[in-house]
Amino acid sequence: MNKLLLKALGASWLAFLIIGIVIKFCFAAPTITLLINRSYCAQTEWAQVAQTYRELYTRHQHKTLRLQSVVVFSDFDEAVFESPPLPTIVENLNIYGQFDPHRQKLLQQRYGQTQVIGCHSMKDFNHGVSADSMGKLGKISHKQ
Amino acid sequence: MPINSFAEADQYLREQLLPQITVSAEIVSDTDAYNAQIPPLKDFVADPNTYPLYGAQPTDDANTVYVEIYSSAEKANAARDDERWLVDVAERFNQQQNRLPSGEIIQVGVRNIPSGLGAQILAAGKGKPAGYTPAHALWPELLKADGLDQVETISPGLVSTSAIFALRPEIYRKLAEGGDVTFDRLIDAILAGGIKVGYSNPYIASSALNFLYSLLWHSAGHQADGKPLTLAELASPEISSVFDTFQQQVVLTTPTYLDLKQIWLRNPTAFDVIVMAHQSYVGLIQQPGFDDFKYVSFGIPEASPLVSFAWTTASEKAALAQFAAFATSAEMQQLAEKQGYQKLEHLKQNNVPPLPSGEVLKAAQSFWKRRKDGGRTVYMEVVIDTSGSMADENKLAAVQRALQVASQQISPSNQIGLITFSDHPVRRIPLAPYSELEQKRLFTAIEQLRSDGATALYDGLAVGLADLMEKQKQDAEGQFYLLLLTDGERTDGLRFNQIEAVIRHSGVRVYPIAYGGAPKSTLERSHRLKKALYTKGRPKKCRH
């Protein structure tokens, strides 16, 4: 009787464990490296980029998205945050310089699963149109 | 009453201190201001003969060809062992009694004038030396743009060094965690914020002009294509954003980097990084506490070209050529190495911006002048001691001359006030946007200053602070400065301990400048409070 009970309990725990592992792998929160393009744009445009980051940060807090690392880049260099910075830090980042699509491409290659936020996008650059004239804000591009 | 905030300082100043002070006003009328005739700026360019001359002296001897060379300060300062290379070269050359093929003996005099001031003197026609050896080739380009024709290169370089950022070791270590510490990496860290920068005036200092051009060139993305900066690019908001962000990190701008170096030597935490020449950095790291400081090089080579002018005679050119050959000989280059001159890695790899046109450089200097305040209004109260002792040694005249030059170089968006003090303070120019009329009013007010009476130093300071703090209530984003020019101890009015806490919480940066034999103790009190600059007064220190 006890043996049977123990077997049933063991099987149940094993089933729970397997289901847990299946759920973890099948329904896991996506993990990305977030690239923040800090090239210059108007403050109103940057506010929308900051808002986009705030939403991503909230998802990270709720574990529906995992921000593995956050990389802020300009046309001079890049800086890596070891853990996602508070949204207010991103909101108050100094923004300067030109959009550097080459650096963005290199970072996307280096980090694999990336998401890019910033005032400018590769599309703007490829089409030779400035973000200002496009009027598109808080753009996101993915490379999976 | 304990003072721990701006509000408390303001209340104490207005309720306790100002009622003790008698303030009068002598404002220049609109009519007088309108009628003022301001001489052109070039009339104020310094007299080159006031700068020290080393080596040979001018001579009327028909058997001698005397050539005078204006030299950048960092290689022609006989008073410092690490800044006197060209003086040593000239002395050795003169001893050899070298002759031209025609038989005349060549004698070389070296006049120590900062590169930018030398260029201003030459452009204004105030001096006609046979040769000019600034720190780098940007200055001759500027002279060409100023209309000096026949600026001819005698030697592309007498001695090689490089512009650098000198860094505190902890800043360098932090940057090195991310890989090699390059110019781009350092600039990005500065732009990101949190690094205190000491910079100098790109109208005077070579490394500052070199940096300004390099920053703008990099900002335009030309490190990728190697093309020179263009005038059109200076209008780009992206480039402006880099410059404006950089300027926000600048805590002090001095005429030359040698001033920054002296401040750093007294207070190593005054800056995290400064722009200077590598050759001078070599001397810096030999000082106690500076041995582990680091550097990052950048820019065009600081090769000390030697140029001649339209007025340089053929025999003078030949003499300069012989002198250049002597200076670049192996023996003299070894002497240069002993004084810290080295060709740095980025120069060996020729990883340098191309030489721009003088027009672009002039535009870059104007760009700096126009935007250096980062879009924030600068409020400056100039508080001048007009006590009787300022008449001695023409001290007041020197202050007047310096301020009249400075009065022509202030951005119209800024606000300047003028207060004088002797027995009591006198308001002469209220803080107001610097329109053309205000410029004339300030010029006239400076001209009218007369010295007489006692030294109510802290009364003048209190009135200046009160005016600036009032403005601060209306514009919290502004930058507030008080320039205090005096030559003596307070003899009347408030005492230092009465105003000490007010200064500390005023939000105003106080720059005391000592004229003549001012007791250092007086000004160092303010220095301690605001970490301000104790400077021995000279007219050229006030100019920019």
Side-chain angles (χ1 to χ4, degrees), chain A residues 7-77:
Chain A
K7 274 185 182 172
L9 269 172
S12 302
W13 279 112
L14 188 65
F16 272 128
L17 191 67
I18 291 165
I19 289 166
I21 290 167
V22 168
I23 287 172
K24 183 175 175 178
F25 278 97
C26 296
F27 301 99
T31 298
I32 58 161
T33 293
L34 184 65
L35 306 178
I36 302 179
N37 169 10
R38 72 186 323 173
S39 58
Y40 175 76
C41 59
Q43 278 299 332
T44 48
E45 295 178 34
W46 183 254
Q48 296 195 37
V49 175
Q51 178 58 33
T52 304
Y53 177 75
R54 188 178 291 277
E55 288 162 15
L56 294 171
Y57 183 82
T58 305
R59 285 177 60 194
H60 173 79
Q61 295 290 84
H62 293 161
K63 300 194 187 312
T64 58
L65 174 73
R66 184 164 167 256
L67 299 177
Q68 190 169 39
S69 57
V70 175
V71 181
V72 181
F73 71 98
S74 70
D75 53 339
F76 287 95
D77 199 15

Side-chain angles (χ1 to χ4, degrees), chain A residues 38 40 74-78 94-98, chain B residues 184-185 188 191-192 219-221 238 241-242 245:
Chain A
R38 72 186 323 173
Y40 175 76
S74 70
D75 53 339
F76 287 95
D77 199 15
E78 65 247 10
N94 286 342
I95 50 173
Y96 48 82
Q98 304 192 93
Chain B
D184 280 359
R185 170 155 292 160
D188 198 60
L191 297 176
S219 304
E238 286 82 5
S241 68
V242 172
T245 311

